[in-house]
């Protein structure tokens, strides 16, 4: 396993200018207009400059403050993780949750902080960035109970996935290309709920009919096929999205075994 260094990026003003107001709305993070302007489109680090936007006494604000004090993650990573978690947490949870392609580990940390029914979160990634240790420290500072729940189980999904218990909930944010399909296949094999935010799709290997891909676009064609696969395996599937102002790769696919 390798440890990556973390390189912060600077804000891209053209991206902010290009945002359409209707796209801006965040649902999980309740930010004022001033804070939304500061966060959305910012590709830099969530650093102490952002502390003034985390003024509440609630756990999410306290976690945000602890992350910002450590300059632990990028603003975009924070927004993505919070908004994704907010969309899927009710349907996709189990005593064991695996945050696959976890990288910094924010999604898993949010499960440990906020979901009482979750006893254990496993972070799985073949490569661990320095930001992970800072995320863990921030989580434990604001929620000491998270220490007993958060477990680094890093390595290749093909190895670590095999050790997950039946019924484990799987979450994966931007698990590149076919890794998302591996996550869905693992969820079906384990019989637990799953949520993904797909990113690049391996279009050359698209299983969607060419007509569907042409009419709806290759990415949507790919996700339609994923949906069929899940439904055939007995899952109820929902599509949702996080704000396109956070990422253009914003479709959320959540699925859980259909009760008879
Ligand atoms: C695009 S990053 C997404 C990271 C994070 N979830 C996020 O959204 O910021 C994809 C991550 O998947 C990990 N990864 C790629 N292939 C993997 C595999 N076969 N098993 C485990 N991790 C893998 C990479 O190391 C990388 O951290």
């Amino acid at each position: 396993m390798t440890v990556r260094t973390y390189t912060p990026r600077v804000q891209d003003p053209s991206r902010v200018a290009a945002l359409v107001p209707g796209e801006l709305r965040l649902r999980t993070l309740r930010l004022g207009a001033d804070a939304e302007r500061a966060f959305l489109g910012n590709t830099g680090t969530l650093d102490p400059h952002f502390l003034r936007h985390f003024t509440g006494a609630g756990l999410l604000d306290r976690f945000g403050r602890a992350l910002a004090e450590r300059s632990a993650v990028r603003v975009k990573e924070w927004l993505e993780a919070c908004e994704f978690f907010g969309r899927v947490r009710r349907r996709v949870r189990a005593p064991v949750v695996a945050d696959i392609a976890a990288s910094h580990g924010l999604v898993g940390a949010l499960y440990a902080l906020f979901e009482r029914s979750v006893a254990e979160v496993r972070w799985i990634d073949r490569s661990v960035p320095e930001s992970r240790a800072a995320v863990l420290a921030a989580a434990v500072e604001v929620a000491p109970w998270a220490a007993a729940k958060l477990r680094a189980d890093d390595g290749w999904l093909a190895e670590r996935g095999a050790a997950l218990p039946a019924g484990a909930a799987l979450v994966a944010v931007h698990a590149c290309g076919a890794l998302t399909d591996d996550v869905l296949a693992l969820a079906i094999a384990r019989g637990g709920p799953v949520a993904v935010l797909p990113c690049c799709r391996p279009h050359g290997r698209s299983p969607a009919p060419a007509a569907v891909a042409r009419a709806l676009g290759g990415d949507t064609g790919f996700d339609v096929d994923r949906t069929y696969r899940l439904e055939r395996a007995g899952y109820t599937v929902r599509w949702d999205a996080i704000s396109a102002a956070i990422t253009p790769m914003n479709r959320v696919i959540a699925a859980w075994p259909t009760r008879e």
Side-chain angles (χ1 to χ4, degrees), residues 4 77 80 99-104 124-127 155-158 172-176 179 199:
R4 276 181 279 140
E77 293 168 338
E80 246 165 31
D99 179 2
I100 297 166
S103 183
H104 42 73
I124 298 179
D125 200 304
R126 66 173 183 198
S127 157
W156 294 91
L157 176 63
V173 170
H174 290 167
C176 318
L179 186 59
C199 54

mmCIF file with all atom_site columns, all heavy atoms in Angstrom, residues 4 77 80 99-104 124-127 155-158 172-176 179 199, ligand 1:
data_model
loop_
_atom_site.group_PDB
_atom_site.id
_atom_site.type_symbol
_atom_site.label_atom_id
_atom_site.label_alt_id
_atom_site.label_comp_id
_atom_site.label_asym_id
_atom_site.label_entity_id
_atom_site.label_seq_id
_atom_site.pdbx_PDB_ins_code
_atom_site.Cartn_x
_atom_site.Cartn_y
_atom_site.Cartn_z
_atom_site.occupancy
_atom_site.B_iso_or_equiv
_atom_site.pdbx_formal_charge
_atom_site.auth_seq_id
_atom_site.auth_comp_id
_atom_site.auth_asym_id
_atom_site.auth_atom_id
_atom_site.pdbx_PDB_model_num
ATOM   1   N N   . ARG A 1 4   ? -0.081  8.567  -0.490  1.00 0.00 ? 4   ARG A N   1
ATOM   2   C CA  . ARG A 1 4   ? 0.035   9.682  -1.416  1.00 0.00 ? 4   ARG A CA  1
ATOM   3   C C   . ARG A 1 4   ? 0.174   10.997 -0.670  1.00 0.00 ? 4   ARG A C   1
ATOM   4   O O   . ARG A 1 4   ? -0.403  11.162 0.394   1.00 0.00 ? 4   ARG A O   1
ATOM   5   C CB  . ARG A 1 4   ? -1.229  9.779  -2.289  1.00 0.00 ? 4   ARG A CB  1
ATOM   6   C CG  . ARG A 1 4   ? -1.188  8.882  -3.478  1.00 0.00 ? 4   ARG A CG  1
ATOM   7   C CD  . ARG A 1 4   ? -2.446  9.077  -4.277  1.00 0.00 ? 4   ARG A CD  1
ATOM   8   N NE  . ARG A 1 4   ? -3.541  8.314  -3.710  1.00 0.00 ? 4   ARG A NE  1
ATOM   9   C CZ  . ARG A 1 4   ? -4.785  8.754  -3.624  1.00 0.00 ? 4   ARG A CZ  1
ATOM   10  N NH1 . ARG A 1 4   ? -5.097  9.965  -4.021  1.00 0.00 ? 4   ARG A NH1 1
ATOM   11  N NH2 . ARG A 1 4   ? -5.725  7.990  -3.128  1.00 0.00 ? 4   ARG A NH2 1
ATOM   12  N N   . GLU A 1 77  ? -14.224 17.894 -1.983  1.00 0.00 ? 77  GLU A N   1
ATOM   13  C CA  . GLU A 1 77  ? -14.366 16.573 -1.350  1.00 0.00 ? 77  GLU A CA  1
ATOM   14  C C   . GLU A 1 77  ? -15.356 16.635 -0.191  1.00 0.00 ? 77  GLU A C   1
ATOM   15  O O   . GLU A 1 77  ? -16.158 15.716 0.019   1.00 0.00 ? 77  GLU A O   1
ATOM   16  C CB  . GLU A 1 77  ? -12.986 16.080 -0.875  1.00 0.00 ? 77  GLU A CB  1
ATOM   17  C CG  . GLU A 1 77  ? -12.039 15.775 -2.025  1.00 0.00 ? 77  GLU A CG  1
ATOM   18  C CD  . GLU A 1 77  ? -10.584 15.575 -1.587  1.00 0.00 ? 77  GLU A CD  1
ATOM   19  O OE1 . GLU A 1 77  ? -10.178 16.051 -0.496  1.00 0.00 ? 77  GLU A OE1 1
ATOM   20  O OE2 . GLU A 1 77  ? -9.832  14.949 -2.355  1.00 0.00 ? 77  GLU A OE2 1
ATOM   21  N N   . GLU A 1 80  ? -18.935 17.017 -1.722  1.00 0.00 ? 80  GLU A N   1
ATOM   22  C CA  . GLU A 1 80  ? -19.343 15.750 -2.348  1.00 0.00 ? 80  GLU A CA  1
ATOM   23  C C   . GLU A 1 80  ? -19.739 14.725 -1.298  1.00 0.00 ? 80  GLU A C   1
ATOM   24  O O   . GLU A 1 80  ? -20.793 14.088 -1.391  1.00 0.00 ? 80  GLU A O   1
ATOM   25  C CB  . GLU A 1 80  ? -18.145 15.177 -3.132  1.00 0.00 ? 80  GLU A CB  1
ATOM   26  C CG  . GLU A 1 80  ? -18.315 15.112 -4.614  1.00 0.00 ? 80  GLU A CG  1
ATOM   27  C CD  . GLU A 1 80  ? -16.956 14.878 -5.272  1.00 0.00 ? 80  GLU A CD  1
ATOM   28  O OE1 . GLU A 1 80  ? -16.060 14.232 -4.683  1.00 0.00 ? 80  GLU A OE1 1
ATOM   29  O OE2 . GLU A 1 80  ? -16.808 15.378 -6.391  1.00 0.00 ? 80  GLU A OE2 1
ATOM   30  N N   . ASP A 1 99  ? -16.663 1.805  3.027   1.00 0.00 ? 99  ASP A N   1
ATOM   31  C CA  . ASP A 1 99  ? -16.428 2.994  2.185   1.00 0.00 ? 99  ASP A CA  1
ATOM   32  C C   . ASP A 1 99  ? -15.321 2.596  1.215   1.00 0.00 ? 99  ASP A C   1
ATOM   33  O O   . ASP A 1 99  ? -14.148 2.543  1.572   1.00 0.00 ? 99  ASP A O   1
ATOM   34  C CB  . ASP A 1 99  ? -16.011 4.168  3.083   1.00 0.00 ? 99  ASP A CB  1
ATOM   35  C CG  . ASP A 1 99  ? -15.727 5.450  2.302   1.00 0.00 ? 99  ASP A CG  1
ATOM   36  O OD1 . ASP A 1 99  ? -15.889 5.461  1.068   1.00 0.00 ? 99  ASP A OD1 1
ATOM   37  O OD2 . ASP A 1 99  ? -15.344 6.449  2.949   1.00 0.00 ? 99  ASP A OD2 1
ATOM   38  N N   . ILE A 1 100 ? -15.744 2.272  -0.018  1.00 0.00 ? 100 ILE A N   1
ATOM   39  C CA  . ILE A 1 100 ? -14.809 1.700  -1.009  1.00 0.00 ? 100 ILE A CA  1
ATOM   40  C C   . ILE A 1 100 ? -14.269 2.816  -1.908  1.00 0.00 ? 100 ILE A C   1
ATOM   41  O O   . ILE A 1 100 ? -15.011 3.732  -2.262  1.00 0.00 ? 100 ILE A O   1
ATOM   42  C CB  . ILE A 1 100 ? -15.528 0.601  -1.824  1.00 0.00 ? 100 ILE A CB  1
ATOM   43  C CG1 . ILE A 1 100 ? -15.938 -0.538 -0.876  1.00 0.00 ? 100 ILE A CG1 1
ATOM   44  C CG2 . ILE A 1 100 ? -14.637 0.077  -2.941  1.00 0.00 ? 100 ILE A CG2 1
ATOM   45  C CD1 . ILE A 1 100 ? -16.925 -1.507 -1.472  1.00 0.00 ? 100 ILE A CD1 1
ATOM   46  N N   . ALA A 1 101 ? -13.001 2.695  -2.282  1.00 0.00 ? 101 ALA A N   1
ATOM   47  C CA  . ALA A 1 101 ? -12.301 3.800  -2.962  1.00 0.00 ? 101 ALA A CA  1
ATOM   48  C C   . ALA A 1 101 ? -12.350 5.017  -2.045  1.00 0.00 ? 101 ALA A C   1
ATOM   49  O O   . ALA A 1 101 ? -12.570 6.147  -2.476  1.00 0.00 ? 101 ALA A O   1
ATOM   50  C CB  . ALA A 1 101 ? -12.900 4.103  -4.335  1.00 0.00 ? 101 ALA A CB  1
ATOM   51  N N   . ALA A 1 102 ? -12.150 4.754  -0.775  1.00 0.00 ? 102 ALA A N   1
ATOM   52  C CA  . ALA A 1 102 ? -12.417 5.731  0.288   1.00 0.00 ? 102 ALA A CA  1
ATOM   53  C C   . ALA A 1 102 ? -11.498 6.936  0.240   1.00 0.00 ? 102 ALA A C   1
ATOM   54  O O   . ALA A 1 102 ? -11.889 8.029  0.644   1.00 0.00 ? 102 ALA A O   1
ATOM   55  C CB  . ALA A 1 102 ? -12.270 5.050  1.645   1.00 0.00 ? 102 ALA A CB  1
ATOM   56  N N   . SER A 1 103 ? -10.264 6.745  -0.188  1.00 0.00 ? 103 SER A N   1
ATOM   57  C CA  . SER A 1 103 ? -9.281  7.826  -0.212  1.00 0.00 ? 103 SER A CA  1
ATOM   58  C C   . SER A 1 103 ? -9.240  8.525  1.151   1.00 0.00 ? 103 SER A C   1
ATOM   59  O O   . SER A 1 103 ? -8.945  7.898  2.158   1.00 0.00 ? 103 SER A O   1
ATOM   60  C CB  . SER A 1 103 ? -9.598  8.798  -1.348  1.00 0.00 ? 103 SER A CB  1
ATOM   61  O OG  . SER A 1 103 ? -8.627  9.806  -1.415  1.00 0.00 ? 103 SER A OG  1
ATOM   62  N N   . HIS A 1 104 ? -9.601  9.811  1.213   1.00 0.00 ? 104 HIS A N   1
ATOM   63  C CA  . HIS A 1 104 ? -9.602  10.576 2.466   1.00 0.00 ? 104 HIS A CA  1
ATOM   64  C C   . HIS A 1 104 ? -10.526 9.974  3.525   1.00 0.00 ? 104 HIS A C   1
ATOM   65  O O   . HIS A 1 104 ? -10.335 10.192 4.714   1.00 0.00 ? 104 HIS A O   1
ATOM   66  C CB  . HIS A 1 104 ? -10.020 12.023 2.194   1.00 0.00 ? 104 HIS A CB  1
ATOM   67  C CG  . HIS A 1 104 ? -11.161 12.129 1.224   1.00 0.00 ? 104 HIS A CG  1
ATOM   68  N ND1 . HIS A 1 104 ? -12.446 11.798 1.556   1.00 0.00 ? 104 HIS A ND1 1
ATOM   69  C CD2 . HIS A 1 104 ? -11.182 12.472 -0.089  1.00 0.00 ? 104 HIS A CD2 1
ATOM   70  C CE1 . HIS A 1 104 ? -13.235 11.958 0.500   1.00 0.00 ? 104 HIS A CE1 1
ATOM   71  N NE2 . HIS A 1 104 ? -12.486 12.367 -0.531  1.00 0.00 ? 104 HIS A NE2 1
ATOM   72  N N   . ILE A 1 124 ? -11.756 1.138  2.590   1.00 0.00 ? 124 ILE A N   1
ATOM   73  C CA  . ILE A 1 124 ? -11.021 0.273  1.660   1.00 0.00 ? 124 ILE A CA  1
ATOM   74  C C   . ILE A 1 124 ? -10.497 1.121  0.515   1.00 0.00 ? 124 ILE A C   1
ATOM   75  O O   . ILE A 1 124 ? -11.280 1.744  -0.204  1.00 0.00 ? 124 ILE A O   1
ATOM   76  C CB  . ILE A 1 124 ? -11.944 -0.855 1.128   1.00 0.00 ? 124 ILE A CB  1
ATOM   77  C CG1 . ILE A 1 124 ? -12.420 -1.749 2.272   1.00 0.00 ? 124 ILE A CG1 1
ATOM   78  C CG2 . ILE A 1 124 ? -11.218 -1.671 0.052   1.00 0.00 ? 124 ILE A CG2 1
ATOM   79  C CD1 . ILE A 1 124 ? -13.363 -2.876 1.856   1.00 0.00 ? 124 ILE A CD1 1
ATOM   80  N N   . ASP A 1 125 ? -9.208  1.165  0.369   1.00 0.00 ? 125 ASP A N   1
ATOM   81  C CA  . ASP A 1 125 ? -8.578  1.830  -0.782  1.00 0.00 ? 125 ASP A CA  1
ATOM   82  C C   . ASP A 1 125 ? -7.203  1.219  -0.975  1.00 0.00 ? 125 ASP A C   1
ATOM   83  O O   . ASP A 1 125 ? -6.512  0.903  -0.003  1.00 0.00 ? 125 ASP A O   1
ATOM   84  C CB  . ASP A 1 125 ? -8.474  3.347  -0.549  1.00 0.00 ? 125 ASP A CB  1
ATOM   85  C CG  . ASP A 1 125 ? -8.293  4.106  -1.866  1.00 0.00 ? 125 ASP A CG  1
ATOM   86  O OD1 . ASP A 1 125 ? -7.338  3.799  -2.612  1.00 0.00 ? 125 ASP A OD1 1
ATOM   87  O OD2 . ASP A 1 125 ? -9.107  4.990  -2.151  1.00 0.00 ? 125 ASP A OD2 1
ATOM   88  N N   . ARG A 1 126 ? -6.818  1.093  -2.228  1.00 0.00 ? 126 ARG A N   1
ATOM   89  C CA  . ARG A 1 126 ? -5.485  0.502  -2.493  1.00 0.00 ? 126 ARG A CA  1
ATOM   90  C C   . ARG A 1 126 ? -4.373  1.494  -2.160  1.00 0.00 ? 126 ARG A C   1
ATOM   91  O O   . ARG A 1 126 ? -3.199  1.128  -2.094  1.00 0.00 ? 126 ARG A O   1
ATOM   92  C CB  . ARG A 1 126 ? -5.385  0.091  -3.960  1.00 0.00 ? 126 ARG A CB  1
ATOM   93  C CG  . ARG A 1 126 ? -5.432  1.287  -4.861  1.00 0.00 ? 126 ARG A CG  1
ATOM   94  C CD  . ARG A 1 126 ? -5.172  1.002  -6.300  1.00 0.00 ? 126 ARG A CD  1
ATOM   95  N NE  . ARG A 1 126 ? -5.183  2.281  -6.997  1.00 0.00 ? 126 ARG A NE  1
ATOM   96  C CZ  . ARG A 1 126 ? -5.315  2.439  -8.280  1.00 0.00 ? 126 ARG A CZ  1
ATOM   97  N NH1 . ARG A 1 126 ? -5.449  1.391  -9.055  1.00 0.00 ? 126 ARG A NH1 1
ATOM   98  N NH2 . ARG A 1 126 ? -5.299  3.636  -8.821  1.00 0.00 ? 126 ARG A NH2 1
ATOM   99  N N   . SER A 1 127 ? -4.727  2.776  -1.976  1.00 0.00 ? 127 SER A N   1
ATOM   100 C CA  . SER A 1 127 ? -3.720  3.806  -1.761  1.00 0.00 ? 127 SER A CA  1
ATOM   101 C C   . SER A 1 127 ? -4.280  4.843  -0.786  1.00 0.00 ? 127 SER A C   1
ATOM   102 O O   . SER A 1 127 ? -5.366  5.378  -1.015  1.00 0.00 ? 127 SER A O   1
ATOM   103 C CB  . SER A 1 127 ? -3.398  4.428  -3.121  1.00 0.00 ? 127 SER A CB  1
ATOM   104 O OG  . SER A 1 127 ? -2.874  5.705  -2.955  1.00 0.00 ? 127 SER A OG  1
ATOM   105 N N   . GLY A 1 155 ? -6.507  -1.811 0.935   1.00 0.00 ? 155 GLY A N   1
ATOM   106 C CA  . GLY A 1 155 ? -5.922  -2.784 0.014   1.00 0.00 ? 155 GLY A CA  1
ATOM   107 C C   . GLY A 1 155 ? -6.794  -2.829 -1.226  1.00 0.00 ? 155 GLY A C   1
ATOM   108 O O   . GLY A 1 155 ? -7.661  -1.977 -1.416  1.00 0.00 ? 155 GLY A O   1
ATOM   109 N N   . TRP A 1 156 ? -6.566  -3.808 -2.057  1.00 0.00 ? 156 TRP A N   1
ATOM   110 C CA  . TRP A 1 156 ? -7.357  -3.947 -3.274  1.00 0.00 ? 156 TRP A CA  1
ATOM   111 C C   . TRP A 1 156 ? -8.761  -4.453 -2.938  1.00 0.00 ? 156 TRP A C   1
ATOM   112 O O   . TRP A 1 156 ? -8.928  -5.329 -2.099  1.00 0.00 ? 156 TRP A O   1
ATOM   113 C CB  . TRP A 1 156 ? -6.673  -4.918 -4.231  1.00 0.00 ? 156 TRP A CB  1
ATOM   114 C CG  . TRP A 1 156 ? -5.371  -4.385 -4.740  1.00 0.00 ? 156 TRP A CG  1
ATOM   115 C CD1 . TRP A 1 156 ? -4.140  -4.579 -4.185  1.00 0.00 ? 156 TRP A CD1 1
ATOM   116 C CD2 . TRP A 1 156 ? -5.170  -3.548 -5.880  1.00 0.00 ? 156 TRP A CD2 1
ATOM   117 N NE1 . TRP A 1 156 ? -3.182  -3.912 -4.896  1.00 0.00 ? 156 TRP A NE1 1
ATOM   118 C CE2 . TRP A 1 156 ? -3.784  -3.271 -5.958  1.00 0.00 ? 156 TRP A CE2 1
ATOM   119 C CE3 . TRP A 1 156 ? -6.024  -2.997 -6.844  1.00 0.00 ? 156 TRP A CE3 1
ATOM   120 C CZ2 . TRP A 1 156 ? -3.235  -2.481 -6.958  1.00 0.00 ? 156 TRP A CZ2 1
ATOM   121 C CZ3 . TRP A 1 156 ? -5.463  -2.211 -7.844  1.00 0.00 ? 156 TRP A CZ3 1
ATOM   122 C CH2 . TRP A 1 156 ? -4.097  -1.959 -7.898  1.00 0.00 ? 156 TRP A CH2 1
ATOM   123 N N   . LEU A 1 157 ? -9.733  -3.913 -3.655  1.00 0.00 ? 157 LEU A N   1
ATOM   124 C CA  . LEU A 1 157 ? -11.115 -4.328 -3.387  1.00 0.00 ? 157 LEU A CA  1
ATOM   125 C C   . LEU A 1 157 ? -11.294 -5.834 -3.575  1.00 0.00 ? 157 LEU A C   1
ATOM   126 O O   . LEU A 1 157 ? -12.013 -6.480 -2.805  1.00 0.00 ? 157 LEU A O   1
ATOM   127 C CB  . LEU A 1 157 ? -12.089 -3.571 -4.307  1.00 0.00 ? 157 LEU A CB  1
ATOM   128 C CG  . LEU A 1 157 ? -13.549 -3.995 -4.169  1.00 0.00 ? 157 LEU A CG  1
ATOM   129 C CD1 . LEU A 1 157 ? -14.072 -3.708 -2.767  1.00 0.00 ? 157 LEU A CD1 1
ATOM   130 C CD2 . LEU A 1 157 ? -14.421 -3.324 -5.225  1.00 0.00 ? 157 LEU A CD2 1
ATOM   131 N N   . ALA A 1 158 ? -10.620 -6.387 -4.575  1.00 0.00 ? 158 ALA A N   1
ATOM   132 C CA  . ALA A 1 158 ? -10.786 -7.817 -4.853  1.00 0.00 ? 158 ALA A CA  1
ATOM   133 C C   . ALA A 1 158 ? -10.428 -8.661 -3.634  1.00 0.00 ? 158 ALA A C   1
ATOM   134 O O   . ALA A 1 158 ? -11.038 -9.711 -3.389  1.00 0.00 ? 158 ALA A O   1
ATOM   135 C CB  . ALA A 1 158 ? -9.923  -8.212 -6.046  1.00 0.00 ? 158 ALA A CB  1
ATOM   136 N N   . ALA A 1 172 ? -19.560 3.981  -2.494  1.00 0.00 ? 172 ALA A N   1
ATOM   137 C CA  . ALA A 1 172 ? -18.369 4.286  -3.280  1.00 0.00 ? 172 ALA A CA  1
ATOM   138 C C   . ALA A 1 172 ? -18.595 5.585  -4.050  1.00 0.00 ? 172 ALA A C   1
ATOM   139 O O   . ALA A 1 172 ? -19.505 5.674  -4.867  1.00 0.00 ? 172 ALA A O   1
ATOM   140 C CB  . ALA A 1 172 ? -18.057 3.150  -4.251  1.00 0.00 ? 172 ALA A CB  1
ATOM   141 N N   . VAL A 1 173 ? -17.787 6.582  -3.733  1.00 0.00 ? 173 VAL A N   1
ATOM   142 C CA  . VAL A 1 173 ? -17.865 7.882  -4.416  1.00 0.00 ? 173 VAL A CA  1
ATOM   143 C C   . VAL A 1 173 ? -16.730 7.947  -5.429  1.00 0.00 ? 173 VAL A C   1
ATOM   144 O O   . VAL A 1 173 ? -15.559 7.814  -5.078  1.00 0.00 ? 173 VAL A O   1
ATOM   145 C CB  . VAL A 1 173 ? -17.745 9.038  -3.397  1.00 0.00 ? 173 VAL A CB  1
ATOM   146 C CG1 . VAL A 1 173 ? -17.575 10.374 -4.114  1.00 0.00 ? 173 VAL A CG1 1
ATOM   147 C CG2 . VAL A 1 173 ? -18.976 9.069  -2.505  1.00 0.00 ? 173 VAL A CG2 1
ATOM   148 N N   . HIS A 1 174 ? -17.108 8.093  -6.681  1.00 0.00 ? 174 HIS A N   1
ATOM   149 C CA  . HIS A 1 174 ? -16.150 8.208  -7.780  1.00 0.00 ? 174 HIS A CA  1
ATOM   150 C C   . HIS A 1 174 ? -15.133 7.071  -7.774  1.00 0.00 ? 174 HIS A C   1
ATOM   151 O O   . HIS A 1 174 ? -13.927 7.303  -7.864  1.00 0.00 ? 174 HIS A O   1
ATOM   152 C CB  . HIS A 1 174 ? -15.474 9.583  -7.757  1.00 0.00 ? 174 HIS A CB  1
ATOM   153 C CG  . HIS A 1 174 ? -16.439 10.689 -8.147  1.00 0.00 ? 174 HIS A CG  1
ATOM   154 N ND1 . HIS A 1 174 ? -16.184 12.025 -7.964  1.00 0.00 ? 174 HIS A ND1 1
ATOM   155 C CD2 . HIS A 1 174 ? -17.684 10.631 -8.710  1.00 0.00 ? 174 HIS A CD2 1
ATOM   156 C CE1 . HIS A 1 174 ? -17.223 12.743 -8.408  1.00 0.00 ? 174 HIS A CE1 1
ATOM   157 N NE2 . HIS A 1 174 ? -18.145 11.920 -8.860  1.00 0.00 ? 174 HIS A NE2 1
ATOM   158 N N   . ALA A 1 175 ? -15.648 5.867  -7.657  1.00 0.00 ? 175 ALA A N   1
ATOM   159 C CA  . ALA A 1 175 ? -14.819 4.668  -7.859  1.00 0.00 ? 175 ALA A CA  1
ATOM   160 C C   . ALA A 1 175 ? -14.657 4.537  -9.378  1.00 0.00 ? 175 ALA A C   1
ATOM   161 O O   . ALA A 1 175 ? -15.615 4.263  -10.093 1.00 0.00 ? 175 ALA A O   1
ATOM   162 C CB  . ALA A 1 175 ? -15.510 3.448  -7.274  1.00 0.00 ? 175 ALA A CB  1
ATOM   163 N N   . CYS A 1 176 ? -13.442 4.797  -9.827  1.00 0.00 ? 176 CYS A N   1
ATOM   164 C CA  . CYS A 1 176 ? -13.199 5.015  -11.264 1.00 0.00 ? 176 CYS A CA  1
ATOM   165 C C   . CYS A 1 176 ? -13.677 3.852  -12.128 1.00 0.00 ? 176 CYS A C   1
ATOM   166 O O   . CYS A 1 176 ? -13.438 2.687  -11.810 1.00 0.00 ? 176 CYS A O   1
ATOM   167 C CB  . CYS A 1 176 ? -11.721 5.214  -11.526 1.00 0.00 ? 176 CYS A CB  1
ATOM   168 S SG  . CYS A 1 176 ? -10.907 6.253  -10.315 1.00 0.00 ? 176 CYS A SG  1
ATOM   169 N N   . LEU A 1 179 ? -14.545 -0.003 -11.596 1.00 0.00 ? 179 LEU A N   1
ATOM   170 C CA  . LEU A 1 179 ? -14.520 -0.290 -10.153 1.00 0.00 ? 179 LEU A CA  1
ATOM   171 C C   . LEU A 1 179 ? -15.932 -0.126 -9.566  1.00 0.00 ? 179 LEU A C   1
ATOM   172 O O   . LEU A 1 179 ? -16.329 -0.868 -8.666  1.00 0.00 ? 179 LEU A O   1
ATOM   173 C CB  . LEU A 1 179 ? -13.519 0.635  -9.447  1.00 0.00 ? 179 LEU A CB  1
ATOM   174 C CG  . LEU A 1 179 ? -13.283 0.361  -7.966  1.00 0.00 ? 179 LEU A CG  1
ATOM   175 C CD1 . LEU A 1 179 ? -12.757 -1.057 -7.737  1.00 0.00 ? 179 LEU A CD1 1
ATOM   176 C CD2 . LEU A 1 179 ? -12.325 1.387  -7.367  1.00 0.00 ? 179 LEU A CD2 1
ATOM   177 N N   . CYS A 1 199 ? -18.114 7.824  -11.732 1.00 0.00 ? 199 CYS A N   1
ATOM   178 C CA  . CYS A 1 199 ? -17.413 8.890  -12.472 1.00 0.00 ? 199 CYS A CA  1
ATOM   179 C C   . CYS A 1 199 ? -17.185 8.397  -13.891 1.00 0.00 ? 199 CYS A C   1
ATOM   180 O O   . CYS A 1 199 ? -18.153 8.047  -14.568 1.00 0.00 ? 199 CYS A O   1
ATOM   181 C CB  . CYS A 1 199 ? -16.155 9.356  -11.750 1.00 0.00 ? 199 CYS A CB  1
ATOM   182 S SG  . CYS A 1 199 ? -14.972 8.100  -11.312 1.00 0.00 ? 199 CYS A SG  1
HETATM 183 C C1  . LIG B 2 .   ? -11.206 9.057  -7.982  1.00 0.00 ? 1   LIG B C1  1
HETATM 184 S S1  . LIG B 2 .   ? -10.627 8.433  -6.458  1.00 0.00 ? 1   LIG B S1  1
HETATM 185 C C2  . LIG B 2 .   ? -12.059 8.719  -5.432  1.00 0.00 ? 1   LIG B C2  1
HETATM 186 C C3  . LIG B 2 .   ? -11.675 8.935  -4.015  1.00 0.00 ? 1   LIG B C3  1
HETATM 187 C C4  . LIG B 2 .   ? -12.799 9.423  -3.084  1.00 0.00 ? 1   LIG B C4  1
HETATM 188 N N1  . LIG B 2 .   ? -13.865 8.454  -2.932  1.00 0.00 ? 1   LIG B N1  1
HETATM 189 C C5  . LIG B 2 .   ? -13.340 10.747 -3.535  1.00 0.00 ? 1   LIG B C5  1
HETATM 190 O O1  . LIG B 2 .   ? -14.412 10.780 -4.114  1.00 0.00 ? 1   LIG B O1  1
HETATM 191 O O2  . LIG B 2 .   ? -12.665 11.760 -3.355  1.00 0.00 ? 1   LIG B O2  1
HETATM 192 C C6  . LIG B 2 .   ? -10.651 6.674  -6.696  1.00 0.00 ? 1   LIG B C6  1
HETATM 193 C C7  . LIG B 2 .   ? -9.968  5.905  -5.574  1.00 0.00 ? 1   LIG B C7  1
HETATM 194 O O3  . LIG B 2 .   ? -10.136 4.500  -5.866  1.00 0.00 ? 1   LIG B O3  1
HETATM 195 C C8  . LIG B 2 .   ? -8.975  3.813  -5.429  1.00 0.00 ? 1   LIG B C8  1
HETATM 196 N N2  . LIG B 2 .   ? -8.936  2.528  -6.166  1.00 0.00 ? 1   LIG B N2  1
HETATM 197 C C9  . LIG B 2 .   ? -8.849  2.366  -7.508  1.00 0.00 ? 1   LIG B C9  1
HETATM 198 N N3  . LIG B 2 .   ? -8.899  1.056  -7.818  1.00 0.00 ? 1   LIG B N3  1
HETATM 199 C C10 . LIG B 2 .   ? -9.031  0.364  -6.652  1.00 0.00 ? 1   LIG B C10 1
HETATM 200 C C11 . LIG B 2 .   ? -9.151  -1.016 -6.325  1.00 0.00 ? 1   LIG B C11 1
HETATM 201 N N4  . LIG B 2 .   ? -9.166  -1.961 -7.270  1.00 0.00 ? 1   LIG B N4  1
HETATM 202 N N5  . LIG B 2 .   ? -9.264  -1.357 -5.016  1.00 0.00 ? 1   LIG B N5  1
HETATM 203 C C12 . LIG B 2 .   ? -9.269  -0.406 -4.046  1.00 0.00 ? 1   LIG B C12 1
HETATM 204 N N6  . LIG B 2 .   ? -9.169  0.912  -4.307  1.00 0.00 ? 1   LIG B N6  1
HETATM 205 C C13 . LIG B 2 .   ? -9.049  1.307  -5.588  1.00 0.00 ? 1   LIG B C13 1
HETATM 206 C C14 . LIG B 2 .   ? -7.857  4.768  -5.756  1.00 0.00 ? 1   LIG B C14 1
HETATM 207 O O4  . LIG B 2 .   ? -6.721  4.526  -4.987  1.00 0.00 ? 1   LIG B O4  1
HETATM 208 C C15 . LIG B 2 .   ? -8.490  6.139  -5.451  1.00 0.00 ? 1   LIG B C15 1
HETATM 209 O O5  . LIG B 2 .   ? -8.207  6.553  -4.135  1.00 0.00 ? 1   LIG B O5  1
#
